[in-house]
Amino acid sequence: FVGGGYYAFVHRTFLEYFCAWSFVWLFEKEQKMSPNRLIEEVFGQHWQDEKWHEVLRLIVGMIDTKFARKIIYYLMEQDGEEKKFLNLFLAGKCLFEVRNNQNISFSDIGYRLLNKLKHLTGYDLGYSYEEYDNYSKEIYQKNAALVCEIRTQAVHVVATTWIDEGLTYTWLKQRVKSDNDQDVRREALRQIATGWKHQPGIFDLLKQWVFSDENSDVRREAVRQIATGWKHQPGIFDLLKQWVFSDENSDVRREAVRQIATGWKHQPGIFDLLKQWVFSDENSDVRREAVRQIATGWKHQPGIFDLL
């Protein structure tokens, strides 16, 4: 207590929890807040503000499922396009918080929400934003970033909220294999590598994508996930070195260099290996990444300044 009706918290997590609990207390214990008031005054006023999302999720996780269902339905019915569909993404995250969420995930509301989110993975603006001049280029980049954010967020929410639904894994693999958008494909791969990491065959699937996928961004993401999620798997270091030498795309090779320099920094010979790549690699992007890693990871090594 800091006086004047104010409280300070040692971490934002406590602030968010007690804020959520205060609403739940008014709603359930003291019954001074009706369901409609909770929906309209709390969720209606704050769903557009991402700083409130954790509080709103906590509230949904604390109250009875029948009221949580009404809140999720309310969020789904809002027009959220101007707010980057925060209403639908929050609805998906709220559903994840619901106790016994199987009752909602596979209900009519759950399937409607799932289909809305899947539809957003193909979201695009209703007008052309092609690049023509410097001014148009800036607009194009801004709009392209917006479309990427919405599409990838939709993949993320589907993968995390419906992680226990068997068809989600199948849907994600389909996105990696055939989606027209490389950002969607990369995000789907990331979700598979993190959410289904312990499922048999995932490691081999990721290796397959590194070797065979036609898109360099997808291959690079597969390299990153293998290097971080399967670091202690036998042969990973040698596999990464192989990709530095052999992959046809400089972005994939550069990612392999970065993962070796950060994940295997203390292994004997890494510094010499990076120096070798600086002196001998035919690709300037790979050499540049090796220089960057030497300068940041071996800053206190004798002679680095003169070497640079």
Side-chain angles (χ1 to χ4, degrees):
F1 180 66
V2 294
Y6 287 91
Y7 292 82
F9 298 88
V10 295
H11 193 277
R12 185 177 177 84
T13 302
F14 296 110
L15 167 65
E16 291 167 338
Y17 173 80
F18 285 112
C19 180
W21 178 241
S22 68
F23 284 117
V24 174
W25 184 269
L26 288 173
F27 175 65
E28 287 191 337
K29 305 299 182 183
E30 296 187 356
Q31 297 185 349
K32 292 181 178 179
M33 182 175 282
S34 67
N36 287 341
R37 188 179 163 201
L38 177 67
I39 291 173
E40 294 171 8
E41 294 186 12
V42 181
F43 285 83
Q45 291 184 21
H46 298 297
W47 69 260
Q48 304 96 327
D49 187 351
E50 290 186 82
K51 294 192 294 292
W52 273 80
H53 280 198
E54 187 61 28
V55 173
L56 300 179
R57 290 176 62 177
L58 287 168
I59 292 172
V60 171
M62 293 176 185
I63 63 177
D64 190 273
T65 301
K66 65 180 179 181
F67 298 120
R69 185 187 183 95
K70 291 182 178 180
I71 290 170
I72 292 169
Y73 179 78
Y74 170 83
L75 291 170
M76 287 170 55
E77 294 304 304
Q78 304 309 298
D79 183 1
E81 185 165 12
E82 290 189 1
K83 294 294 183 179
K84 299 188 281 191
F85 299 100
L86 286 177
N87 61 312
L88 296 179
F89 299 141
L90 177 60
K93 294 172 183 177
C94 284
L95 191 152
F96 180 81
E97 299 292 339
V98 175
R99 292 168 288 184
N100 303 317
N101 74 348
Q102 298 282 344
N103 296 332
I104 298 183
S105 296
F106 306 111
S107 66
D108 290 342
I109 290 179
Y111 280 121
R112 278 186 57 202
L113 177 57
L114 177 60
N115 288 332
K116 282 177 177 285
L117 290 167
K118 285 183 175 180
H119 182 71
L120 283 183
T121 63
Y123 172 77
D124 209 348
L125 300 176
Y127 54 88
S128 174
Y129 50 94
E130 292 300 322
E131 174 183 342
Y132 293 107
D133 51 39
N134 289 336
Y135 177 71
S136 297
K137 180 179 180 180
E138 183 178 342
I139 296 176
Y140 170 81
Q141 291 173 338
K142 180 180 178 181
N143 289 335
L146 171 65
V147 169
C148 171
E149 180 182 351
I150 290 172
R151 290 179 177 181
T152 55
Q153 178 76 342
V155 173
H156 172 77
V157 175
V158 169
T160 52
T161 302
W162 283 270
I163 191 170
D164 295 323
E165 164 63 74
L167 292 177
T168 301
Y169 173 58
T170 303
W171 178 78
L172 288 170
K173 284 199 297 182
Q174 289 172 345
R175 298 278 66 73
V176 176
K177 181 179 179 181
S178 60
D179 199 279
N180 293 326
D181 185 84
Q182 66 184 28
D183 296 316
V184 170
R185 297 176 64 202
R186 189 174 67 241
E187 183 62 30
L189 186 151
R190 183 183 298 119
Q191 294 302 324
I192 288 173
T194 53
W196 283 262
K197 178 180 178 180
H198 301 292
Q199 186 160 319
I202 296 297
F203 176 57
D204 292 332
L205 186 62
L206 290 171
K207 285 197 298 182
Q208 175 188 325
W209 283 328
V210 175
F211 285 114
S212 64
D213 198 280
E214 61 185 18
N215 186 276
S216 61
D217 285 341
V218 175
R219 296 206 307 278
R220 184 175 60 189
E221 186 61 40
V223 168
R224 183 183 296 119
Q225 293 301 329
I226 287 173
T228 54
W230 283 263
K231 180 180 179 180
H232 302 293
Q233 185 97 351
I236 294 297
F237 176 64
D238 292 331
L239 194 60
L240 288 169
K241 284 198 298 181
Q242 176 187 334
W243 288 329
V244 174
F245 286 113
S246 64
D247 198 280
E248 62 185 23
N249 185 272
S250 62
D251 289 338
V252 176
R253 297 175 61 203
R254 194 172 71 237
E255 184 63 38
V257 170
R258 183 183 301 120
Q259 294 301 329
I260 287 173
T262 54
W264 282 262
K265 178 181 178 180
H266 301 292
Q267 186 161 318
I270 297 299
F271 177 55
D272 292 332
L273 188 60
L274 289 170
K275 285 197 296 182
Q276 175 188 326
W277 285 329
V278 174
F279 286 117
S280 64
D281 198 280
E282 61 185 18
N283 186 275
S284 61
D285 288 337
V286 174
R287 297 201 305 275
R288 184 174 60 195
E289 185 61 41
V291 169
R292 181 183 295 116
Q293 294 301 328
I294 286 173
T296 54
W298 283 263
K299 181 178 179 180
H300 303 292
Q301 186 94 354
I304 290 297
F305 179 69
D306 292 333
L307 188 63
L308 290 170

